[in-house]
PDB file of all heavy atoms in Angstrom:
ATOM      1  N   PHE A 349     269.086-127.188  92.082  1.00  0.00           N
ATOM      2  CA  PHE A 349     269.928-126.555  93.105  1.00  0.00           C
ATOM      3  C   PHE A 349     270.706-127.646  93.835  1.00  0.00           C
ATOM      4  O   PHE A 349     270.105-128.612  94.313  1.00  0.00           O
ATOM      5  CB  PHE A 349     269.058-125.813  94.138  1.00  0.00           C
ATOM      6  CG  PHE A 349     268.545-124.493  93.661  1.00  0.00           C
ATOM      7  CD1 PHE A 349     267.572-124.420  92.674  1.00  0.00           C
ATOM      8  CD2 PHE A 349     269.032-123.306  94.195  1.00  0.00           C
ATOM      9  CE1 PHE A 349     267.092-123.196  92.229  1.00  0.00           C
ATOM     10  CE2 PHE A 349     268.562-122.071  93.764  1.00  0.00           C
ATOM     11  CZ  PHE A 349     267.592-122.018  92.773  1.00  0.00           C
ATOM     12  N   LEU A 350     272.045-127.477  93.926  1.00  0.00           N
ATOM     13  CA  LEU A 350     272.888-128.486  94.568  1.00  0.00           C
ATOM     14  C   LEU A 350     273.587-127.913  95.798  1.00  0.00           C
ATOM     15  O   LEU A 350     273.846-126.706  95.861  1.00  0.00           O
ATOM     16  CB  LEU A 350     273.954-128.967  93.581  1.00  0.00           C
ATOM     17  CG  LEU A 350     273.478-129.725  92.345  1.00  0.00           C
ATOM     18  CD1 LEU A 350     274.649-129.966  91.400  1.00  0.00           C
ATOM     19  CD2 LEU A 350     272.824-131.039  92.734  1.00  0.00           C
ATOM     20  N   PRO A 351     273.949-128.794  96.736  1.00  0.00           N
ATOM     21  CA  PRO A 351     274.793-128.333  97.845  1.00  0.00           C
ATOM     22  C   PRO A 351     276.097-127.765  97.269  1.00  0.00           C
ATOM     23  O   PRO A 351     276.589-128.257  96.258  1.00  0.00           O
ATOM     24  CB  PRO A 351     275.075-129.614  98.644  1.00  0.00           C
ATOM     25  CG  PRO A 351     274.054-130.604  98.197  1.00  0.00           C
ATOM     26  CD  PRO A 351     273.651-130.231  96.810  1.00  0.00           C
ATOM     27  N   SER A 352     276.663-126.750  97.916  1.00  0.00           N
ATOM     28  CA  SER A 352     277.860-126.075  97.399  1.00  0.00           C
ATOM     29  C   SER A 352     278.985-127.023  96.999  1.00  0.00           C
ATOM     30  O   SER A 352     279.578-126.876  95.936  1.00  0.00           O
ATOM     31  CB  SER A 352     278.410-125.109  98.447  1.00  0.00           C
ATOM     32  OG  SER A 352     277.659-123.937  98.399  1.00  0.00           O
ATOM     33  N   THR A 353     279.276-127.986  97.864  1.00  0.00           N
ATOM     34  CA  THR A 353     280.386-128.904  97.586  1.00  0.00           C
ATOM     35  C   THR A 353     280.143-129.662  96.276  1.00  0.00           C
ATOM     36  O   THR A 353     281.051-129.806  95.454  1.00  0.00           O
ATOM     37  CB  THR A 353     280.544-129.899  98.758  1.00  0.00           C
ATOM     38  OG1 THR A 353     280.763-129.140  99.938  1.00  0.00           O
ATOM     39  CG2 THR A 353     281.691-130.847  98.536  1.00  0.00           C
ATOM     40  N   ALA A 354     278.920-130.111  96.067  1.00  0.00           N
ATOM     41  CA  ALA A 354     278.589-130.856  94.854  1.00  0.00           C
ATOM     42  C   ALA A 354     278.601-129.926  93.643  1.00  0.00           C
ATOM     43  O   ALA A 354     279.103-130.280  92.566  1.00  0.00           O
ATOM     44  CB  ALA A 354     277.222-131.513  95.004  1.00  0.00           C
ATOM     45  N   TYR A 355     278.071-128.725  93.837  1.00  0.00           N
ATOM     46  CA  TYR A 355     278.014-127.774  92.735  1.00  0.00           C
ATOM     47  C   TYR A 355     279.428-127.403  92.264  1.00  0.00           C
ATOM     48  O   TYR A 355     279.698-127.386  91.050  1.00  0.00           O
ATOM     49  CB  TYR A 355     277.245-126.522  93.150  1.00  0.00           C
ATOM     50  CG  TYR A 355     277.260-125.465  92.088  1.00  0.00           C
ATOM     51  CD1 TYR A 355     276.401-125.556  90.995  1.00  0.00           C
ATOM     52  CD2 TYR A 355     278.177-124.413  92.131  1.00  0.00           C
ATOM     53  CE1 TYR A 355     276.448-124.612  89.985  1.00  0.00           C
ATOM     54  CE2 TYR A 355     278.224-123.467  91.125  1.00  0.00           C
ATOM     55  CZ  TYR A 355     277.358-123.566  90.052  1.00  0.00           C
ATOM     56  OH  TYR A 355     277.410-122.645  89.049  1.00  0.00           O
ATOM     57  N   SER A 356     280.346-127.133  93.198  1.00  0.00           N
ATOM     58  CA  SER A 356     281.712-126.755  92.819  1.00  0.00           C
ATOM     59  C   SER A 356     282.383-127.877  92.046  1.00  0.00           C
ATOM     60  O   SER A 356     283.032-127.641  91.024  1.00  0.00           O
ATOM     61  CB  SER A 356     282.580-126.470  94.047  1.00  0.00           C
ATOM     62  OG  SER A 356     281.931-125.589  94.886  1.00  0.00           O
ATOM     63  N   ALA A 357     282.220-129.112  92.530  1.00  0.00           N
ATOM     64  CA  ALA A 357     282.838-130.253  91.855  1.00  0.00           C
ATOM     65  C   ALA A 357     282.280-130.399  90.446  1.00  0.00           C
ATOM     66  O   ALA A 357     283.024-130.615  89.482  1.00  0.00           O
ATOM     67  CB  ALA A 357     282.600-131.525  92.657  1.00  0.00           C
ATOM     68  N   LEU A 358     280.959-130.226  90.313  1.00  0.00           N
ATOM     69  CA  LEU A 358     280.314-130.360  89.004  1.00  0.00           C
ATOM     70  C   LEU A 358     280.771-129.258  88.043  1.00  0.00           C
ATOM     71  O   LEU A 358     281.159-129.538  86.907  1.00  0.00           O
ATOM     72  CB  LEU A 358     278.791-130.318  89.168  1.00  0.00           C
ATOM     73  CG  LEU A 358     277.957-130.177  87.891  1.00  0.00           C
ATOM     74  CD1 LEU A 358     278.145-131.387  86.977  1.00  0.00           C
ATOM     75  CD2 LEU A 358     276.471-130.015  88.208  1.00  0.00           C
ATOM     76  N   SER A 359     280.750-128.018  88.493  1.00  0.00           N
ATOM     77  CA  SER A 359     281.065-126.941  87.552  1.00  0.00           C
ATOM     78  C   SER A 359     282.540-126.975  87.146  1.00  0.00           C
ATOM     79  O   SER A 359     282.864-126.730  85.989  1.00  0.00           O
ATOM     80  CB  SER A 359     280.642-125.573  88.086  1.00  0.00           C
ATOM     81  OG  SER A 359     281.360-125.242  89.229  1.00  0.00           O
ATOM     82  N   SER A 360     283.451-127.363  88.062  1.00  0.00           N
ATOM     83  CA  SER A 360     284.843-127.401  87.607  1.00  0.00           C
ATOM     84  C   SER A 360     285.108-128.585  86.684  1.00  0.00           C
ATOM     85  O   SER A 360     285.836-128.451  85.703  1.00  0.00           O
ATOM     86  CB  SER A 360     285.851-127.310  88.758  1.00  0.00           C
ATOM     87  OG  SER A 360     285.480-128.147  89.791  1.00  0.00           O
TER      88      SER A 360
END
Side-chain angles (χ1 to χ4, degrees):
F349 282 70
L350 295 173
S352 280
T353 302
Y355 175 79
S356 309
L358 169 64
S359 64
S360 45

